[in-house]
Amino acid sequence: MSTPKSILHGGYHHPLSRSWQAERSVTKDMLMYPIFITDDPEAMVPLEALPEQYRIGINRLEAFLAPLVKKGLKSVIIFGVPLKEGVKDPEGSKAEDPQGPTIEAVKLIRHAFPNVFVACDVCLCEYTSHGHCGILRDDGTLNNDLSIERIKNVAVAYAKAGAHCVAPSDMMDGRIGAIKQGLMDSGYAHKVMLISYAAKFAGAFYGPFREAANSAPSFGDRRCYQLPANGRGLARRAVLRDMEEGADAIMVKPGTPYLDILRETADLAKDYPIAVYQVSGEYSMLYQAAKAGVFDLKAAVLETMTGFTRAGATLVLTYYTPRLLDWLDEE
Ligand code: PBG
Ligand code: ZN
């Protein structure tokens, strides 16, 4: 039996009344596009595991981004992918190479597209010979102190090159405090945003990225530094710690399998921007499912975006950004 209060349909019959249900809706401003920059200046290499994404050389970058900026692209996050022989070593020394792909890309984008917000992922795994995100001890475990010292120096170098934002994804303990201190000591803390990948979970969904970035560990895995999938309490502790250490925003990663964590993080860090990373495995899964006829790609991706905003995200890192710039115009 219906009662006056049990009738919900009337409240969302019209498209406009449906739009009023959201606390927040998906806009172009909240998209940050992850791009892979490699050290062959002429490269434009399609990534098999990440369809429609590329490893891009510095000489091709402006032409690649120009049409996207025209459509409303507001921000990118850069991943450097050095592929030349002999670049990698145990300390990841080349991460802040002034002639390396990341720093060159920051400078180019700042110059060519003054209105684009430029973030850099900060990690060592693309530059270390062993493929781990920090510096190792002789027994193969992490040397956290040496790692955060290196990672701080890399972050400061990216800030000096002109990055608006640094986002360490390495998951070392104390990196946020170390980087914030490094930015303060070098005079960049007032103008460089520090996004913490605080709630970053280990798992299967990073597979395509590691192919794209050539950053798979040569032995072992990342389970001793990235969070265990069942680690809700650890995620809360990491979020609280990183706020305490001076993060300016908090990220949850991956996205869809961790929507509960995203909601909890948004509640826990309610005075902070909340980012979510729809990672490479999520991207490819949606892409391949649509290709197999499971659903319409646009409808499915927009639904994941709605899920992210509903769960509390204010910023979404997604490889679907180029598509979304079109799709959001069609809405
Ligand atoms: C590097 C890094 C990874 C991702 C972002 N930064 C890979 C990893 O931690 O193994 C994953 C992004 C993606 O899968 O799209 N630390
Ligand atoms: Zn890494």
mmCIF file of all heavy atoms in Angstrom, residues 181-207:
data_model
loop_
_atom_site.group_PDB
_atom_site.id
_atom_site.type_symbol
_atom_site.label_atom_id
_atom_site.label_comp_id
_atom_site.label_asym_id
_atom_site.label_seq_id
_atom_site.Cartn_x
_atom_site.Cartn_y
_atom_site.Cartn_z
ATOM 1 N N GLN A 181 58.085 19.940 3.466
ATOM 2 C CA GLN A 181 59.255 20.634 4.026
ATOM 3 C C GLN A 181 60.199 21.071 2.901
ATOM 4 O O GLN A 181 60.703 22.195 2.904
ATOM 5 C CB GLN A 181 59.988 19.709 5.011
ATOM 6 C CG GLN A 181 61.060 20.418 5.825
ATOM 7 C CD GLN A 181 60.479 21.521 6.719
ATOM 8 O OE1 GLN A 181 59.538 21.264 7.480
ATOM 9 N NE2 GLN A 181 61.009 22.741 6.622
ATOM 10 N N GLY A 182 60.391 20.181 1.913
ATOM 11 C CA GLY A 182 61.252 20.519 0.782
ATOM 12 C C GLY A 182 60.710 21.706 -0.003
ATOM 13 O O GLY A 182 61.479 22.581 -0.441
ATOM 14 N N LEU A 183 59.402 21.759 -0.182
ATOM 15 C CA LEU A 183 58.784 22.885 -0.897
ATOM 16 C C LEU A 183 58.923 24.171 -0.081
ATOM 17 O O LEU A 183 59.146 25.258 -0.634
ATOM 18 C CB LEU A 183 57.303 22.589 -1.188
ATOM 19 C CG LEU A 183 57.027 21.456 -2.191
ATOM 20 C CD1 LEU A 183 55.535 21.124 -2.236
ATOM 21 C CD2 LEU A 183 57.520 21.811 -3.598
ATOM 22 N N MET A 184 58.816 24.054 1.234
ATOM 23 C CA MET A 184 58.982 25.235 2.092
ATOM 24 C C MET A 184 60.427 25.738 2.023
ATOM 25 O O MET A 184 60.670 26.935 1.825
ATOM 26 C CB MET A 184 58.612 24.885 3.545
ATOM 27 C CG MET A 184 57.121 24.701 3.752
ATOM 28 S SD MET A 184 56.718 23.852 5.303
ATOM 29 C CE MET A 184 57.250 25.053 6.492
ATOM 30 N N ASP A 185 61.369 24.807 2.155
ATOM 31 C CA ASP A 185 62.787 25.190 2.163
ATOM 32 C C ASP A 185 63.216 25.830 0.849
ATOM 33 O O ASP A 185 64.106 26.678 0.823
ATOM 34 C CB ASP A 185 63.679 23.962 2.433
ATOM 35 C CG ASP A 185 63.454 23.397 3.830
ATOM 36 O OD1 ASP A 185 62.860 24.109 4.672
ATOM 37 O OD2 ASP A 185 63.857 22.236 4.074
ATOM 38 N N SER A 186 62.589 25.406 -0.267
ATOM 39 C CA SER A 186 63.010 25.919 -1.567
ATOM 40 C C SER A 186 62.156 27.103 -2.031
ATOM 41 O O SER A 186 62.365 27.627 -3.125
ATOM 42 C CB SER A 186 62.977 24.800 -2.613
ATOM 43 O OG SER A 186 61.693 24.220 -2.659
ATOM 44 N N GLY A 187 61.174 27.490 -1.215
ATOM 45 C CA GLY A 187 60.372 28.664 -1.560
ATOM 46 C C GLY A 187 59.233 28.403 -2.532
ATOM 47 O O GLY A 187 58.766 29.332 -3.198
ATOM 48 N N TYR A 188 58.776 27.165 -2.601
ATOM 49 C CA TYR A 188 57.671 26.845 -3.524
ATOM 50 C C TYR A 188 56.374 26.468 -2.822
ATOM 51 O O TYR A 188 55.354 26.276 -3.467
ATOM 52 C CB TYR A 188 58.083 25.706 -4.474
ATOM 53 C CG TYR A 188 59.073 26.166 -5.507
ATOM 54 C CD1 TYR A 188 60.442 26.122 -5.263
ATOM 55 C CD2 TYR A 188 58.633 26.708 -6.724
ATOM 56 C CE1 TYR A 188 61.357 26.582 -6.199
ATOM 57 C CE2 TYR A 188 59.538 27.171 -7.665
ATOM 58 C CZ TYR A 188 60.896 27.101 -7.396
ATOM 59 O OH TYR A 188 61.781 27.571 -8.321
ATOM 60 N N ALA A 189 56.412 26.346 -1.511
ATOM 61 C CA ALA A 189 55.248 25.801 -0.794
ATOM 62 C C ALA A 189 53.993 26.654 -0.969
ATOM 63 O O ALA A 189 52.878 26.137 -0.920
ATOM 64 C CB ALA A 189 55.576 25.639 0.688
ATOM 65 N N HIS A 190 54.172 27.956 -1.204
ATOM 66 C CA HIS A 190 52.991 28.829 -1.299
ATOM 67 C C HIS A 190 52.287 28.707 -2.647
ATOM 68 O O HIS A 190 51.174 29.181 -2.801
ATOM 69 C CB HIS A 190 53.401 30.292 -1.067
ATOM 70 C CG HIS A 190 54.293 30.826 -2.142
ATOM 71 N ND1 HIS A 190 55.590 30.376 -2.327
ATOM 72 C CD2 HIS A 190 54.076 31.754 -3.116
ATOM 73 C CE1 HIS A 190 56.127 31.009 -3.350
ATOM 74 N NE2 HIS A 190 55.241 31.844 -3.843
ATOM 75 N N LYS A 191 52.940 28.099 -3.643
ATOM 76 C CA LYS A 191 52.282 28.069 -4.953
ATOM 77 C C LYS A 191 52.221 26.679 -5.579
ATOM 78 O O LYS A 191 51.784 26.546 -6.728
ATOM 79 C CB LYS A 191 52.932 29.070 -5.916
ATOM 80 C CG LYS A 191 54.413 28.860 -6.154
ATOM 81 C CD LYS A 191 54.897 29.883 -7.201
ATOM 82 C CE LYS A 191 56.367 29.709 -7.491
ATOM 83 N NZ LYS A 191 56.837 30.650 -8.521
ATOM 84 N N VAL A 192 52.650 25.683 -4.867
ATOM 85 C CA VAL A 192 52.593 24.323 -5.413
ATOM 86 C C VAL A 192 51.704 23.448 -4.539
ATOM 87 O O VAL A 192 51.890 23.379 -3.324
ATOM 88 C CB VAL A 192 54.011 23.715 -5.534
ATOM 89 C CG1 VAL A 192 53.931 22.258 -5.967
ATOM 90 C CG2 VAL A 192 54.828 24.514 -6.553
ATOM 91 N N MET A 193 50.742 22.834 -5.191
ATOM 92 C CA MET A 193 49.788 21.968 -4.486
ATOM 93 C C MET A 193 50.392 20.585 -4.304
ATOM 94 O O MET A 193 51.061 20.072 -5.204
ATOM 95 C CB MET A 193 48.514 21.890 -5.318
ATOM 96 C CG MET A 193 47.402 21.094 -4.688
ATOM 97 S SD MET A 193 45.921 21.188 -5.742
ATOM 98 C CE MET A 193 44.697 20.603 -4.559
ATOM 99 N N LEU A 194 50.119 19.996 -3.154
ATOM 100 C CA LEU A 194 50.629 18.657 -2.852
ATOM 101 C C LEU A 194 49.440 17.709 -2.663
ATOM 102 O O LEU A 194 48.717 17.791 -1.668
ATOM 103 C CB LEU A 194 51.499 18.733 -1.587
ATOM 104 C CG LEU A 194 52.055 17.448 -1.000
ATOM 105 C CD1 LEU A 194 52.796 16.614 -2.039
ATOM 106 C CD2 LEU A 194 52.980 17.768 0.178
ATOM 107 N N ILE A 195 49.243 16.857 -3.669
ATOM 108 C CA ILE A 195 48.146 15.876 -3.573
ATOM 109 C C ILE A 195 48.728 14.553 -3.097
ATOM 110 O O ILE A 195 49.659 14.022 -3.709
ATOM 111 C CB ILE A 195 47.453 15.646 -4.928
ATOM 112 C CG1 ILE A 195 46.868 16.949 -5.483
ATOM 113 C CG2 ILE A 195 46.346 14.598 -4.789
ATOM 114 C CD1 ILE A 195 46.059 16.774 -6.772
ATOM 115 N N SER A 196 48.186 14.042 -2.018
ATOM 116 C CA SER A 196 48.647 12.744 -1.530
ATOM 117 C C SER A 196 47.801 11.610 -2.081
ATOM 118 O O SER A 196 46.587 11.597 -1.929
ATOM 119 C CB SER A 196 48.585 12.680 -0.001
ATOM 120 O OG SER A 196 48.883 11.345 0.387
ATOM 121 N N TYR A 197 48.475 10.656 -2.726
ATOM 122 C CA TYR A 197 47.809 9.392 -3.040
ATOM 123 C C TYR A 197 47.760 8.634 -1.704
ATOM 124 O O TYR A 197 48.486 7.664 -1.520
ATOM 125 C CB TYR A 197 48.654 8.551 -3.979
ATOM 126 C CG TYR A 197 48.785 8.902 -5.453
ATOM 127 C CD1 TYR A 197 49.550 9.973 -5.892
ATOM 128 C CD2 TYR A 197 48.204 8.071 -6.431
ATOM 129 C CE1 TYR A 197 49.730 10.216 -7.256
ATOM 130 C CE2 TYR A 197 48.391 8.317 -7.792
ATOM 131 C CZ TYR A 197 49.144 9.391 -8.195
ATOM 132 O OH TYR A 197 49.319 9.616 -9.545
ATOM 133 N N ALA A 198 46.939 9.086 -0.767
ATOM 134 C CA ALA A 198 46.984 8.487 0.579
ATOM 135 C C ALA A 198 46.379 7.089 0.582
ATOM 136 O O ALA A 198 46.921 6.167 1.177
ATOM 137 C CB ALA A 198 46.252 9.387 1.573
ATOM 138 N N ALA A 199 45.224 6.961 -0.064
ATOM 139 C CA ALA A 199 44.512 5.680 -0.042
ATOM 140 C C ALA A 199 44.741 4.962 -1.358
ATOM 141 O O ALA A 199 43.857 4.823 -2.197
ATOM 142 C CB ALA A 199 43.022 5.909 0.205
ATOM 143 N N LYS A 200 45.972 4.512 -1.540
ATOM 144 C CA LYS A 200 46.329 3.796 -2.771
ATOM 145 C C LYS A 200 46.506 2.316 -2.445
ATOM 146 O O LYS A 200 47.344 1.943 -1.623
ATOM 147 C CB LYS A 200 47.631 4.362 -3.344
ATOM 148 C CG LYS A 200 48.150 3.562 -4.546
ATOM 149 C CD LYS A 200 49.316 4.235 -5.232
ATOM 150 C CE LYS A 200 49.867 3.336 -6.341
ATOM 151 N NZ LYS A 200 50.908 3.996 -7.122
ATOM 152 N N PHE A 201 45.708 1.510 -3.094
ATOM 153 C CA PHE A 201 45.669 0.081 -2.782
ATOM 154 C C PHE A 201 46.438 -0.741 -3.810
ATOM 155 O O PHE A 201 46.379 -0.467 -5.016
ATOM 156 C CB PHE A 201 44.210 -0.395 -2.747
ATOM 157 C CG PHE A 201 43.460 0.156 -1.570
ATOM 158 C CD1 PHE A 201 42.880 1.417 -1.613
ATOM 159 C CD2 PHE A 201 43.356 -0.570 -0.387
ATOM 160 C CE1 PHE A 201 42.200 1.940 -0.518
ATOM 161 C CE2 PHE A 201 42.682 -0.062 0.713
ATOM 162 C CZ PHE A 201 42.101 1.196 0.647
ATOM 163 N N ALA A 202 47.113 -1.770 -3.333
ATOM 164 C CA ALA A 202 47.813 -2.701 -4.219
ATOM 165 C C ALA A 202 46.785 -3.599 -4.905
ATOM 166 O O ALA A 202 45.765 -3.927 -4.324
ATOM 167 C CB ALA A 202 48.771 -3.568 -3.402
ATOM 168 N N GLY A 203 47.077 -3.981 -6.145
ATOM 169 C CA GLY A 203 46.152 -4.921 -6.765
ATOM 170 C C GLY A 203 46.327 -5.042 -8.255
ATOM 171 O O GLY A 203 47.306 -4.567 -8.828
ATOM 172 N N ALA A 204 45.348 -5.690 -8.853
ATOM 173 C CA ALA A 204 45.431 -6.091 -10.252
ATOM 174 C C ALA A 204 45.175 -4.954 -11.233
ATOM 175 O O ALA A 204 45.497 -5.075 -12.408
ATOM 176 C CB ALA A 204 44.418 -7.209 -10.512
ATOM 177 N N PHE A 205 44.596 -3.862 -10.752
ATOM 178 C CA PHE A 205 44.084 -2.863 -11.688
ATOM 179 C C PHE A 205 45.143 -1.939 -12.287
ATOM 180 O O PHE A 205 44.828 -1.091 -13.103
ATOM 181 C CB PHE A 205 42.966 -2.044 -11.023
ATOM 182 C CG PHE A 205 41.687 -2.812 -10.910
ATOM 183 C CD1 PHE A 205 41.403 -3.564 -9.784
ATOM 184 C CD2 PHE A 205 40.768 -2.821 -11.959
ATOM 185 C CE1 PHE A 205 40.220 -4.290 -9.688
ATOM 186 C CE2 PHE A 205 39.594 -3.540 -11.880
ATOM 187 C CZ PHE A 205 39.317 -4.283 -10.739
ATOM 188 N N TYR A 206 46.400 -2.079 -11.853
ATOM 189 C CA TYR A 206 47.454 -1.230 -12.421
ATOM 190 C C TYR A 206 48.199 -1.878 -13.585
ATOM 191 O O TYR A 206 49.142 -1.287 -14.118
ATOM 192 C CB TYR A 206 48.489 -0.852 -11.342
ATOM 193 C CG TYR A 206 47.907 -0.229 -10.101
ATOM 194 C CD1 TYR A 206 48.406 -0.549 -8.831
ATOM 195 C CD2 TYR A 206 46.860 0.683 -10.175
ATOM 196 C CE1 TYR A 206 47.873 0.021 -7.679
ATOM 197 C CE2 TYR A 206 46.322 1.246 -9.027
ATOM 198 C CZ TYR A 206 46.833 0.903 -7.781
ATOM 199 O OH TYR A 206 46.304 1.467 -6.643
ATOM 200 N N GLY A 207 47.778 -3.082 -13.968
ATOM 201 C CA GLY A 207 48.508 -3.832 -14.990
ATOM 202 C C GLY A 207 48.808 -3.067 -16.265
ATOM 203 O O GLY A 207 49.973 -2.952 -16.669
#
